[in-house]
């Protein structure tokens, strides 16, 4: 969000005066957010879930995900805590 907040006005300014603009740095997610709008997660974050699982081992969280959504679990590494949560 901070990247888009800072980059969008600059991009619009450059595009108003130049026919070519080269945007570099960041990841595909940054460019997608800049050009297509904000990124929406498949499910909004749940602060209560996060708070209650803060000390839960990643392997246990992965097992819980696998039981609730095996298809999504198959797309993730069992050690990718951020995406598992």
């Amino acid at each position: 969000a901070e990247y888009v907040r800072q980059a969008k006005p600059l991009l619009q300014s450059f595009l108003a005066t130049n026919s070519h603009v080269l945007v570099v740095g960041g990841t595909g997610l940054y460019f997608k957010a800049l050009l297509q709008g904000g990124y929406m997660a498949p499910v909004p974050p749940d602060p209560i879930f996060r708070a209650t699982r803060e000390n839960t081992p990643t392997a246990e969280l992965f097992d819980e995900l696998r039981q609730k959504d095996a298809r999504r679990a198959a797309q993730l590494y069992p050690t990718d805590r951020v995406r598992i949560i």
Side-chain angles (χ1 to χ4, degrees), residues 41-55:
V43 177
D46 181 347
I48 294 170
F49 176 86
R50 289 172 183 260
T52 60
R53 302 304 199 294
E54 186 174 53
N55 296 317

Side-chain angles (χ1 to χ4, degrees), residues 7-85:
K8 194 166 195 163
L10 292 172
L11 180 60
Q12 290 171 337
S13 173
F14 290 137
L15 287 173
T17 58
N18 300 292
S19 60
H20 296 89
V21 175
L22 182 63
V23 179
V24 298
T27 67
L29 182 59
Y30 285 87
F31 293 117
K32 186 174 183 179
L34 180 61
L35 300 175
Q36 299 176 0
Y39 172 76
M40 295 301 295
V43 177
D46 181 347
I48 294 170
F49 176 86
R50 289 172 183 260
T52 60
R53 302 304 199 294
E54 186 174 53
N55 296 317
T56 304
T58 304
E60 192 175 314
L61 292 171
F62 187 73
D63 286 341
E64 184 178 341
L65 174 62
R66 196 175 355 193
Q67 291 171 15
K68 292 183 179 191
D69 189 347
R71 191 176 87 193
R72 181 63 179 139
Q75 298 170 339
L76 301 177
Y77 289 106
T79 56
D80 191 345
R81 185 177 183 87
V82 171
R83 286 184 176 84
I84 292 168
I85 290 174

